[in-house]
């Protein structure tokens, strides 16, 4: 059974009218949430998105390399030859 999840507090049936009003007033006092700025594919044309993706990918590759290399270094005898 699909359950309806309200998009904003004004649609929440389990809240009283006073609670809904309080939440809505608080939201407007804090500032409106971000609006939809465009289609999803617009994010892929943003250079900052590609920069963050590159940083994330290189970080993950570095951690993977470290986790694969470190055990082999620790396994070697620590006595000088």
């Amino acid at each position: 059974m699909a359950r309806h999840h309200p998009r904003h507090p004004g649609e929440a049936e389990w809240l009283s009218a006073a609670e809904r009003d309080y939440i809505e007033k608080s939201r407007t006092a804090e500032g409106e949430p971000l609006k939809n700025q465009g289609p999803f594919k617009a994010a892929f044309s943003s250079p900052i998105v590609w920069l963050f993706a590159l940083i994330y990918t290189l970080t993950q590759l570095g951690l993977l390399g470290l986790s694969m290399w470190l055990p082999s270094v620790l396994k070697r005898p620590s006595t000088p030859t």
Side-chain angles (χ1 to χ4, degrees):
M1 180 167 118
R3 187 177 174 130
H4 171 70
H5 293 284
R7 293 182 180 264
H8 54 84
E11 294 179 355
E13 299 171 355
W14 61 87
L15 294 174
S16 69
E19 290 172 326
R20 282 193 294 261
D21 291 339
Y22 175 76
I23 292 172
E24 287 295 334
K25 286 178 187 174
S26 297
R27 285 180 64 202
T28 27
E30 293 171 2
E32 284 296 313
L34 294 175
K35 303 282 186 218
N36 186 4
Q37 297 294 323
F40 181 71
K41 67 180 181 179
F44 292 106
S45 63
S46 171
I48 194 77
V49 171
W50 286 105
L51 177 64
F52 284 138
L54 178 66
I55 291 169
Y56 178 77
T57 302
L58 292 176
T59 302
Q60 294 302 313
L61 285 173
L63 291 172
L64 176 66
L66 184 65
S67 67
M68 299 297 260
W69 168 75
L70 190 59
S72 64
V73 170
L74 295 176
K75 188 177 180 180
R76 289 186 197 154
S78 60
T79 58
T81 57

